[in-house]
Amino acid sequence: MTEEIIIAGFGGQGVLSMGKILAYSGMMMGKEVSWMPSYGPEMRGGTANVTVIISDNRISSPVLHEFDTAILLNQQSVTKFESMVKPGGVLIYDGNGIVSHPTRKDISIYRVDASEEAVRSNMQKTFNMIVTGAYMKVKPIVHMADVLKGLKSSLPSRHHHLLPSNEKAIEKGMEIVVPVNVVSANCCVNCH
Amino acid sequence: MKEVKLLKGNEAIAEAAIRYGVDGYFGYPITPQSEIMETLMAQHPWDTTGMVVLQAESETASINMVYGGAGCGKKVMTSSSSPGMSLMQEGLSYIAGAELPCVVINVVRGGPGLGTIQPAQSDYFQSVKGGGHGDYKLIVLAPSSVQEMADFVPLAFELAFKYRNPALILSDGMIGQMMEKVTLPPYQPRWTEQEIEQLHPWATTGKKAHRSKNVITSLELLSDEQERHNQKLQAKYQQMQATEVRYETFSCEDADYLLIAYGSSARVCQKAVEIARENGLKVGLLRPITLFPFPTEAIHKLAQQVKGILTVEMSAGQMVEDVRLAVEGKTPVAHFGRFGGIIPSPGEVVDAIKQQFIKG
């Protein structure tokens, strides 16, 4: 099993921490992991992205130009990364502010309106965990118990009282993610 | 006890330094390596191991603090990124001339000038050909994973003390900023003053009645003496070349084409080897771990087996010159590079092999 993920959005949406939590979760499961962020001017106001790889095997390149899964949280990211999803792969996006929706027919597309839900349920601070939940529903590779362990190791202990609200946000994400276009699963993660 | 952590390459360097019992770190912040000093400062090692962590007023000051600490036989280090490394070259030349051990880390960013803060490998020449003035060499180690960032701190110190020569860990923004699993070594105590006197009788630890005074200098105005000193240095570099070469090979046994890459580029090339072999192309990879001393012999040997060699560097082509010297025309050698902060994709590397060697 090798899962190559790109997560992209605005700086401040929690893209890098979401990637960190997935990487920690993979490590908790005994997998090989890598986390490669964009750093510098991009994360200071513009777009931020992170490549996370979770694998049973030694990871070769931590930087990739095609992905099994793209999690895209703004228009720039949809525009930039839609074409980089492998045929048969998965694209998950937040519909907030999207005018030009993803259109590929050879990949599975899911929509999670996490920004809208975060505002409605007053969960703005756990927005990225709603998105994480959507990912976990679509691709059940990392499990709740490991994600919670991952959160625990990546969050400073003064924030540990927030763990239950993060768990709630993950469950919300699992609930509200909807399929837009689903291709047959002959290219699922199991055959990699 | 060994600990497994998820760390950035820069953080791994700092953690490894504290655990190895380093006496002092002197540095000045610059992206993409600032986490080294940030992590050291956050860990407060002065409270636990007694390690000094000091933010100097400039890179020039940092390297000269290292010069001073190294002269006392202490394990001292500094780190910077490309523009800061340029400022340190004068100090490094003095340290090499005075034959002192120390460890320097360069987390390379694109140049020239202030360039960019994104990863590059364009400081190869500066690192392996001396860098400052005079005939000298640094021992140069090129980590290609976060684990190696941690492992090469002790290795660099061991080599530096063995040869009384500065050792450089040549990393880049990718290895510095990425996170991977890393197993950290157990803590070991710093050397005591008595241990330093025993292990390093050359160190300036205070004049003792039983020995003549120790003088640390790179100055020798008598040409005969200076020539003898240079001959001694050259003999030392030859000794390194004979005994300290380190490299790793992937899928080279049956390879028709050979990739040569170090550090980040070697990671990209491992993926390129996988892709090429899925497409029926027998490609192998040689990854130099020491850039000085360079794996000249291993490359020369493989050159007789393959139909072509492609070096992949995040530069306009620097290591390719040392590869050509090693190959001595036995097989065609080409270079593929991206620069200015762009990391090449594995697919681009495979395309470059096809373009260079399998035309039509």
Side-chain angles (χ1 to χ4, degrees):
Chain A
M1 189 283 298
T2 296
E3 167 78 343
E4 298 169 337
I5 315 164
I6 178 96
I7 311 169
F10 288 118
Q13 277 182 315
V15 163
L16 299 188
S17 355
M18 180 180 164
K20 208 166 162 179
I21 288 154
L22 288 180
Y24 265 112
S25 312
M27 189 171 94
M28 296 297 162
M29 293 165 68
K31 309 278 187 197
E32 295 300 320
V33 293
S34 75
W35 175 93
M36 179 67 210
S38 57
Y39 62 91
E42 287 172 300
M43 63 188 265
R44 290 173 175 82
T47 60
N49 70 68
V50 62
T51 303
V52 175
I53 306 175
I54 303 173
S55 179
D56 290 328
N57 308 311
R58 174 177 168 168
I59 293 166
S60 48
S61 179
V63 174
L64 300 165
H65 293 246
E66 331 173 277
F67 304 93
D68 298 305
T69 302
I71 301 169
L72 309 175
L73 304 178
N74 65 10
Q75 181 65 61
Q76 288 97 314
S77 304
V78 171
T79 308
K80 185 170 175 190
F81 293 109
E82 182 184 1
S83 64
M84 295 192 197
V85 180
K86 292 178 193 170
V90 166
L91 186 157
I92 301 170
Y93 77 109
D94 186 329
N96 183 42
I98 302 292
V99 284
S100 170
H101 291 258
T103 53
R104 276 176 65 181
K105 294 286 168 241
D106 62 336
I107 58 173
S108 293
I109 298 173
Y110 296 84
R111 175 167 169 167
V112 55
D113 283 337
S115 305
E116 206 182 283
E117 185 59 39
V119 174
R120 185 169 43 234
S121 326
N122 198 21
M123 288 174 135
Q124 288 94 329
K125 289 198 169 161
T126 48
F127 159 78
N128 62 349
M129 288 295 102
I130 303 179
V131 180
T132 305
Y135 169 71
M136 288 163 68
K137 176 77 185 291
V138 173
K139 281 219 155 168
I141 293 172
V142 294
H143 310 301
M144 182 67 98
D146 299 299
V147 172
L148 292 177
K149 270 192 256 171
L151 265 166
K152 216 167 173 177
S153 7
S154 68
L155 282 177
S157 49
R158 65 175 189 280
H159 293 318
H160 281 183
H161 66 281
L162 298 171
L163 288 174
S165 51
N166 279 280
E167 189 174 358
K168 228 174 89 191
I170 292 172
E171 282 161 0
K172 185 54 94 180
M174 289 177 157
E175 195 184 304
I176 65 169
V177 62
V178 288
V180 176
N181 175 61
V182 178
V183 297
S184 65
N186 62 355
C187 243
C188 72
V189 67
N190 301 323
C191 66
H192 281 273
Chain B
M1 203 189 75
K2 285 192 172 180
E3 262 183 88
V4 182
K5 285 190 168 186
L6 187 65
L7 291 178
K8 284 189 172 194
N10 290 336
E11 294 164 343
I13 293 248
E15 296 278 359
I18 298 171
R19 281 153 198 266
Y20 186 62
V22 170
D23 295 297
Y25 170 94
F26 311 91
Y28 188 78
I30 181 171
T31 307
Q33 63 79 54
S34 296
E35 292 87 355
I36 297 176
M37 187 160 53
E38 281 170 16
T39 306
L40 286 170
M41 289 285 185
Q43 300 278 346
H44 288 230
W46 50 88
D47 287 333
T48 51
T49 70
M51 178 187 183
V52 171
V53 184
L54 195 140
Q55 179 173 335
E57 68 270 36
S58 70
E59 289 87 346
T60 313
S62 315
I63 194 69
N64 283 293
M65 289 173 182
V66 166
Y67 188 8
C72 303
K74 302 279 186 184
K75 288 183 199 151
V76 285
M77 62 190 283
T78 183
S79 66
S80 191
S81 180
S82 308
M85 282 307 297
S86 293
L87 290 167
M88 291 189 187
Q89 294 307 317
E90 181 200 38
L92 275 169
S93 168
Y94 279 61
I95 295 170
E99 289 196 273
L100 292 179
C102 68
V103 171
V104 178
I105 297 125
N106 183 0
V107 183
V108 179
R109 57 190 252 183
L114 275 181
T116 168
I117 60 173
Q118 301 301 324
Q121 296 181 312
S122 40
D123 296 356
Y124 176 89
F125 283 150
Q126 185 196 59
S127 309
V128 306
K129 309 288 181 192
H133 59 283
D135 273 322
Y136 74 92
K137 298 277 192 188
L138 306 177
I139 298 160
V140 184
L141 299 171
S144 78
S145 64
V146 174
Q147 184 65 55
E148 283 188 341
M149 290 287 256
D151 294 346
F152 286 4
V153 171
L155 176 62
F157 272 108
E158 276 155 30
L159 293 171
F161 275 93
K162 179 173 175 188
Y163 291 98
R164 285 182 59 187
N165 202 73
L168 174 74
I169 298 177
L170 187 67
S171 173
D172 65 61
M174 181 177 124
I175 305 287
Q177 291 295 326
M178 71 186 281
M179 287 202 300
E180 287 184 310
K181 273 204 284 197
V182 51
T183 306
L184 292 170
Y187 284 91
Q188 65 184 72
R190 290 166 48 235
W191 284 325
T192 62
E193 298 298 326
Q194 288 79 3
E195 282 173 319
I196 292 176
E197 276 170 38
Q198 279 164 13
L199 292 166
H200 315 304
W202 47 264
T204 48
T205 48
K207 164 84 176 70
K208 305 291 184 300
H210 62 83
R211 64 159 169 82
S212 55
K213 63 182 177 185
N214 286 339
V215 179
I216 287 177
T217 179
S218 64
L219 177 71
E220 177 50 71
L221 293 173
L222 298 171
S223 295
D224 286 346
E225 283 303 317
Q226 187 58 267
E227 187 179 47
R228 254 195 296 281
H229 177 58
N230 268 273
Q231 282 163 346
K232 185 182 161 207
L233 292 179
Q234 293 305 316
K236 188 165 83 171
Y237 305 144
Q238 276 169 21
Q239 178 68 23
M240 291 174 190
Q241 186 70 55
T243 50
E244 303 300 345
V245 171
R246 287 166 171 81
Y247 63 93
E248 190 179 21
T249 56
F250 299 88
S251 311
C252 283
E253 301 71 29
D254 63 340
D256 290 330
Y257 303 97
L258 180 67
L259 294 170
I260 301 181
Y262 68 92
S264 296
S265 293
R267 295 290 293 269
V268 173
C269 286
Q270 278 174 48
K271 184 89 179 176
V273 169
E274 290 166 20
I275 297 173
R277 287 192 171 254
E278 280 164 23
N279 289 296
L281 265 184
K282 286 185 190 164
V283 176
L285 166 67
L286 184 143
R287 172 174 83 92
I289 294 171
T290 49
L291 295 175
F292 181 81
F294 194 67
T296 306
E297 259 178 57
I299 293 170
H300 186 80
K301 228 169 123 191
L302 275 168
Q304 337 238 348
Q305 171 195 324
V306 298
K307 297 176 195 158
I309 294 179
L310 184 74
T311 68
V312 179
E313 302 172 67
M314 295 192 286
S315 79
Q318 301 191 8
M319 180 182 67
V320 65
E321 294 190 3
D322 287 334
V323 171
R324 287 209 174 99
L325 288 172
V327 168
E328 290 184 311
K330 302 271 183 233
T331 194
V333 176
H335 160 76
F336 175 73
R338 296 293 305 265
F339 32 95
I342 305 279
I343 301 169
S345 77
E348 277 179 318
V349 173
V350 177
D351 289 345
I353 299 170
K354 289 182 187 159
Q355 270 169 22
Q356 288 291 343
F357 305 117
I358 315 165
K359 295 172 185 90

